Amino acid sequence: MFGLWTSTLEDVSRYRMQLMAGLAGSGQDENALRAHWRREMAKLFNGNPHRADEENLNFEGIESLCRSLHINCSRNVMRAQFTKADGSKTGKLAYHEFKDFVRRLKERKDIKEIYKGLASDSTEGLNLNEFLTFLTDGQGVDVVANLAYWETKFQQIIRKSKIHCPNSQDVHEENQSRMNFEAFTTFLSSTANNVRSTRASEAKFDRPLNEYFISSSHNTYLLGRQVAGSSSTEAYIRVLQRGCRSVEIDCWDGPEGRPIVSHGRTLTSSVFFSDCISVIGKYAFVSSPYPLFLSLEVHCNPEQQQAMVDIMRGILGDRLVEKPYMTNAFSLPSPEELKHRFLIKVKAGENPVEKTSTTDSSIGRRQRSFSSPFSRPQVLDNSLVPSGPLLSSPPSISPSETSSSFWAPGKGSMTTTSISSTTDESDTAPAAKKEKKKHKSKIIKPLGDLGVYTRGVKYNSFALPESKTYNHIFSLAERTFEALCRDPDTKSQLEKHNQRYMMRVYPSAFRLRSSNFDPLAFWKRGVQMVALNWQTYDLGMQMNDAMFAAGSDRTGYVLKPKELRKSIPSLTSAPGPSSDKVEKKLVKFSVEMISAQQLPRSRGMGAEESLDPYIEIEMLCAEDKAKGVASGEGGLDASARNGLSGIGSPHRRRTIIVQSNGYNPIFNDKFKLSLETKYPSLVFVRWTVWDSVDGRNYGNSSEPLAMFTAKLSSLQQGYRHLPLFDYNGEQFLFSTLFCKIRKEEPVSIRSSENLRLEKIGRLKQFGQSVFKRTLSVERKNVKEGAAGYPS
């Protein structure tokens, strides 16, 4: 019975998706159109018998159908297309006229101009050579590297368009291998033309763990929309399906000797530790084969700590790393070597500094063996996450909860950062603390021994022996981290530390609404585990998604840029700023904001109200606000009035406002953006869709209609459709933005300046040459004039 119920729900859902896709897609799907028509006729006649010539829809019926399918164009536009399709002039549309109405609505005039410019004969279509030329020159695709794939894709798109357009069977044989306009439109909106690379690179993850950014979660067990907080194993499933590689588990004493997971010393509910480990064991590698970290915050008595050890061993089995892969090793293993393995992050046991944790100041790298490649398709997560308004002007890195609504999460998300997370790692800056006597660890040795490659050590100083053991990890609250970075010498030591060793940073306990900080502030310092509240889809979480969204990045591991992982002689070198400063680079790219498709309506919008959309494009970088140098051209500049750009203050520009059209608005705004940065791989771009309050002014409504954030280095060039997401992080089915993207390779500021000076020198030289030539001609003319016209 349960199977019948679930299968019925799946069939209904699939039918609904097919109906929507039939009208939203680019092709003329006869079956989907017929299904739409039959559904409306059944409603009109209440299932009663009727003649075929009685089947028609008046304008109100057509309008109702369009609204139900989220076609949000103005009534005037809809009326105009209705009138053109009404060939019989009866004020009603029969089925064949309804088909013409749909064709007119779906016609992509913005793509038609592109298509005409590519095909030598647009009536016949693109041949294979023209298509491959478009990919190479227009889309920046290396076709030669994968020629067979693109030839196959060309034929697949053509065959698919013929299935949806039965009339194409009458076309001459010589046109059967050409891509017509409908097929070309289908290709541009297909996954083969994704704005982000979806194909994983062949590069192996064979560098030590400390050389990667790792997708990490804070308070993973918490669900959103809870005033007092609610713990659930479902939260672990969600983040693991989305590629998270470090989850947090707060452990407390439970009933009958069974440890529980809970938001410590709050009103939150709890879940058994064994249930969490069971779920984690099942879902750990559904989206990535690379190692998963279990970050344990332990507040259990010795007996229940032993129970934790037994549970993990029993459920995870030989996938649990319990001892180093190599004895006398002085660097961390690579993700490649740790495929399908669980790593425990836990504080050291009774003897925190053991023989295996030797300093590595003079030890070379060890040889490694690699396991065979393994990959699985990513399992997408479409589950709900808490709502949260995302306004468009971020404050500083660490705003107070009431200082700005930009970083605010969902209105119902009132969970706090676990006090357990900050018991031993307080948000108070180290300098402000009174010195305490060293106390023995409360972690029993069997549990502490599981921290093989991530042994938690409390931070006291970067100069102490425990800060130089190859397998230690510091876990800091964001305010502690910020306090360390205020001192230039300590900041330099922190950056050097993170080039060799592991660090985790988590949100402050004062973020009462589970908001997130700007992860750029921590990635730029080389922090591997920037742990965020995944239940809150604010800008911080959007950037985290973008960091791990393209190609091999979806594994949850991203190789840090070279400047953040280069080897250094020793941590004992003289304090102070690094002698080998990272050189700034000039990053340039352009975006032609062409159009949007089927934009979502805002909540509470009346059925007769229309959208007046405009787009904001933001460029976010890892430079400090006072040092950022960013500029742009095109559209309206909506950046900070003081001209500063950097963390917390993105460069922002806006398109025109398109009145009364949320279905297919055309913008045709061109933007050129550039910035100077030491971290070109940490540049992000965000598109936000807004609805003008009156159709004329740019005053933002309470929350955006949709948004999309991407890492600049992940964006593919050319004509691309951008997916759009709501403030819960859920993707809209058919809402997209259509853009043309161009990127330039970053160049050093020094080289760029030399080129600029060289160009100025050439212009000066040319000007002087022209001036001298002009002067000599004038003198010659004066002499000739003097000879012909004596005074």
Side-chain angles (χ1 to χ4, degrees):
M1 191 66 182
F2 178 75
L4 178 62
W5 169 253
T6 55
S7 62
T8 302
L9 287 178
E10 289 174 357
D11 290 341
V12 171
S13 176
R14 192 180 301 111
Y15 175 72
R16 173 66 174 170
M17 290 281 288
Q18 289 172 349
L19 285 180
M20 294 185 71
L23 202 51
S26 57
Q28 190 89 327
D29 191 328
E30 179 76 24
N31 293 331
L33 287 178
R34 179 68 70 178
H36 281 296
W37 185 260
R38 287 174 178 170
R39 188 186 64 173
E40 291 303 312
M41 292 303 102
K43 289 165 56 178
L44 182 65
F45 291 100
N46 293 319
N48 296 323
H50 59 275
R51 299 192 313 272
D53 59 359
E54 293 179 314
E55 291 189 350
N56 50 53
L57 283 174
N58 60 17
F59 177 74
E60 286 70 23
I62 293 291
E63 186 179 32
S64 174
L65 171 61
C66 290
R67 297 294 183 218
S68 68
L69 294 169
H70 305 286
I71 297 178
N72 301 316
C73 56
S74 68
R75 195 169 195 183
N76 291 337
V77 171
M78 205 176 297
R79 171 72 74 176
Q81 299 302 331
F82 180 91
T83 301
K84 291 177 182 179
D86 183 14
S88 59
K89 306 300 180 183
T90 61
K92 296 180 180 181
L93 300 185
Y95 176 66
H96 69 279
E97 293 170 322
F98 172 68
K99 283 170 52 178
D100 184 49
F101 172 80
V102 172
R103 180 189 61 79
R104 293 176 182 278
L105 271 183
K106 294 197 297 182
E107 187 176 36
R108 291 289 300 272
K109 295 180 180 178
D110 51 344
I111 295 179
K112 200 152 207 171
E113 294 303 315
I114 301 169
Y115 177 75
K116 288 180 179 179
L118 296 174
S120 55
D121 186 343
S122 59
T123 59
E124 292 188 356
L126 291 172
N127 60 36
L128 177 60
N129 287 336
E130 289 171 334
F131 176 69
L132 297 179
T133 300
F134 165 69
L135 292 178
T136 302
D137 298 341
Q139 305 297 86
V141 176
D142 185 2
V143 173
V144 177
N146 209 348
L147 182 59
Y149 169 80
W150 289 113
E151 289 176 340
T152 303
K153 183 58 64 176
F154 178 76
Q155 297 298 335
Q156 286 176 347
I157 296 292
I158 292 174
R159 286 196 299 270
K160 186 176 180 181
S161 69
K162 290 174 184 175
I163 293 173
H164 292 316
C165 303
N167 293 336
S168 64
Q169 300 297 331
D170 299 330
V171 181
H172 295 296
E173 185 67 28
E174 59 267 22
N175 294 337
Q176 294 300 301
S177 294
R178 286 179 176 266
M179 180 179 281
N180 62 20
F181 173 66
E182 286 73 21
F184 180 69
T185 304
T186 298
F187 167 73
L188 286 182
S189 57
S190 69
T191 55
N193 193 51
N194 199 300
V195 68
R196 290 186 290 212
S197 174
T198 56
R199 305 183 69 188
S201 66
E202 296 179 0
K204 288 190 175 182
F205 293 78
D206 55 2
R207 305 294 300 172
L209 288 169
N210 55 284
E211 295 192 15
Y212 292 88
F213 293 128
I214 302 170
S215 183
S216 304
S217 167
H218 173 61
N219 285 347
T220 313
Y221 47 88
L222 288 180
L223 293 171
R225 301 180 184 272
Q226 306 298 323
V227 175
S230 178
S231 305
S232 172
T233 57
E234 182 184 348
Y236 289 100
I237 298 174
R238 291 181 182 181
V239 301
L240 291 172
Q241 287 179 330
R242 292 166 62 188
C244 183
R245 294 292 85 195
S246 174
V247 297
E248 184 178 28
I249 311 176
D250 282 5
C251 311
W252 297 81
D253 289 332
E256 300 177 2
R258 299 180 64 187
I260 58 172
V261 175
S262 179
H263 204 188
R265 303 190 182 99
T266 64
L267 300 177
T268 60
S269 61
S270 63
V271 61
F272 283 116
F273 178 79
S274 58
D275 293 341
C276 292
I277 298 300
S278 179
V279 164
I280 290 170
K282 181 178 180 180
Y283 289 90
F285 305 109
V286 294
S287 63
S288 172
Y290 292 104
L292 178 68
F293 292 84
L294 308 186
S295 181
L296 303 182
E297 288 292 338
V298 183
H299 300 271
C300 299
N301 60 40
E303 291 75 17
Q304 296 211 14
Q305 288 185 42
Q306 184 59 55
M308 290 170 56
V309 174
D310 296 339
I311 289 168
M312 288 188 288
R313 284 176 174 164
I315 294 175
L316 306 181
D318 57 6
R319 297 181 296 171
L320 178 65
V321 175
E322 296 194 50
K323 58 183 179 180
Y325 278 22
M326 294 183 66
T327 57
N328 299 320
F330 304 103
S331 65
L332 293 171
S334 69
E336 200 72 37
E337 293 172 292
L338 294 168
K339 274 187 172 181
H340 301 102
R341 296 290 183 269
F342 293 92
L343 301 176
I344 305 300
K345 174 194 164 295
V346 65
K347 287 185 174 64
E350 297 171 358
N351 187 13
V353 181
E354 296 182 356
K355 293 181 181 180
T356 57
S357 301
T358 311
T359 58
D360 62 348
S361 58
S362 61
I363 305 300
R365 289 281 311 277
R366 62 189 176 88
Q367 297 295 317
R368 307 183 188 282
S369 60
F370 305 123
S371 57
S372 60
F374 174 83
S375 63
R376 292 183 185 176
Q378 184 179 18
V379 179
L380 297 178
D381 176 40
N382 296 318
S383 55
L384 290 170
V385 287
S387 62
L390 288 169
L391 302 188
S392 190
S393 301
S396 61
I397 301 172
S398 178
S400 66
E401 287 296 322
T402 58
S403 63
S404 172
S405 56
F406 179 83
W407 294 92
K411 297 175 182 177
S413 180
M414 293 293 292
T415 54
T416 63
T417 298
S418 173
I419 297 175
S420 67
S421 298
T422 57
T423 302
D424 296 325
E425 294 146 350
S426 172
D427 284 341
T428 307
K433 295 181 183 179
K434 293 183 179 179
E435 289 190 7
K436 296 182 180 180
K437 293 182 180 179
K438 282 190 176 182
H439 59 278
K440 290 185 178 181
S441 171
K442 295 181 180 179
I443 305 297
I444 64 172
K445 191 173 185 302
L447 180 57
D449 286 347
L450 293 181
V452 177
Y453 290 124
T454 44
R455 175 162 296 178
V457 175
K458 183 179 180 181
Y459 169 78
N460 289 295
S461 168
F462 292 113
L464 294 177
E466 59 262 28
S467 70
K468 301 170 189 176
T469 55
Y470 84 99
N471 62 342
H472 82 277
I473 180 170
F474 287 139
S475 190
L476 305 175
E478 62 173 299
R479 294 194 177 187
T480 302
F481 183 93
E482 290 168 358
L484 293 174
C485 290
R486 291 191 191 106
D487 178 70
D489 291 345
T490 308
K491 181 177 70 174
S492 177
Q493 293 175 33
L494 180 146
E495 291 172 348
K496 290 179 180 179
H497 170 276
N498 292 345
Q499 288 176 342
R500 284 196 172 187
Y501 310 114
M502 298 285 287
M503 180 175 286
R504 178 179 182 268
V505 176
Y506 56 89
S508 165
F510 296 98
R511 292 184 176 272
L512 301 179
R513 295 178 62 86
S514 294
S515 61
N516 288 303
F517 45 58
D518 188 334
L520 285 171
F522 307 95
W523 285 330
K524 68 182 285 189
R525 306 292 180 207
V527 177
Q528 294 85 1
M529 295 182 179
V530 179
L532 298 176
N533 293 306
W534 284 49
Q535 69 269 36
T536 307
Y537 196 69
D538 52 14
L539 179 58
M541 194 60 218
Q542 291 170 42
M543 283 195 285
N544 189 80
D545 276 358
M547 169 65 86
F548 301 97
S552 58
D553 295 348
R554 292 180 296 169
T555 60
Y557 285 82
V558 172
L559 187 66
K560 294 197 290 186
K562 188 176 181 180
E563 58 269 19
L564 296 179
R565 55 186 173 89
K566 59 186 178 183
S567 60
I568 53 177
S570 173
L571 280 175
T572 58
S573 57
S578 177
S579 58
D580 49 348
K581 289 187 176 180
V582 178
E583 187 180 38
K584 276 194 173 185
K585 292 188 176 181
L586 180 64
V587 176
K588 289 184 176 182
F589 65 101
S590 64
V591 175
E592 184 178 345
M593 190 62 246
I594 301 173
S595 62
Q597 295 73 46
Q598 288 191 249
L599 295 176
R601 293 163 66 83
S602 59
R603 288 186 297 182
M605 199 170 187
E608 300 299 320
E609 295 182 79
S610 59
L611 292 176
D612 303 305
Y614 65 93
I615 313 297
E616 276 186 355
I617 181 170
E618 297 169 295
M619 177 172 55
L620 305 112
C621 69
E623 295 297 320
D624 293 329
K625 192 193 307 186
K627 299 179 181 178
V629 178
S631 61
E633 299 176 15
L636 178 69
D637 189 354
S639 305
R641 291 184 179 180
N642 57 15
L644 298 179
S645 178
I647 292 178
S649 185
H651 185 80
R652 182 184 299 117
R653 307 194 80 83
R654 289 171 176 163
T655 67
I656 60 171
I657 298 171
V658 177
Q659 294 183 344
S660 303
N661 188 356
Y663 179 67
N664 56 357
I666 302 293
F667 300 100
N668 281 335
D669 268 324
K670 298 179 181 179
F671 303 99
K672 291 183 178 180
L673 301 165
S674 65
L675 76 155
E676 297 176 8
T677 177
K678 291 186 283 187
Y679 316 98
S681 62
L682 296 180
V683 176
F684 291 77
V685 186
R686 185 167 86 139
W687 286 261
T688 309
V689 183
W690 295 95
D691 180 27
S692 171
V693 289
D694 57 7
R696 296 182 300 275
N697 298 305
Y698 286 96
N700 291 338
S701 52
S702 59
E703 57 191 30
L705 299 176
M707 64 214 71
F708 172 68
T709 307
K711 189 166 54 173
L712 179 60
S713 60
S714 299
L715 288 173
Q716 300 201 88
Q717 300 193 76
Y719 295 99
R720 308 284 175 172
H721 285 89
L722 315 185
L724 290 174
F725 298 81
D726 66 9
Y727 42 80
N728 290 329
E730 293 183 38
Q731 183 178 343
F732 291 106
L733 288 177
F734 306 112
S735 300
T736 56
L737 300 179
F738 186 50
C739 300
K740 182 181 181 181
I741 299 169
R742 282 283 176 261
K743 300 189 296 183
E744 298 182 20
E745 283 295 321
V747 296
S748 67
I749 297 297
R750 189 179 305 167
S751 301
S752 178
E753 182 66 15
N754 290 342
L755 287 173
R756 189 181 71 85
L757 293 174
E758 184 180 345
K759 189 180 293 184
I760 291 174
R762 288 177 180 174
L763 289 172
K764 284 183 177 179
Q765 187 177 0
F766 176 75
Q768 290 172 356
S769 175
V770 171
F771 176 74
K772 288 178 181 179
R773 195 177 305 161
T774 305
L775 191 61
S776 65
V777 171
E778 288 176 350
R779 286 175 179 172
K780 182 179 180 182
N781 290 338
V782 169
K783 287 180 181 179
E784 290 177 350
Y789 300 94
S791 56

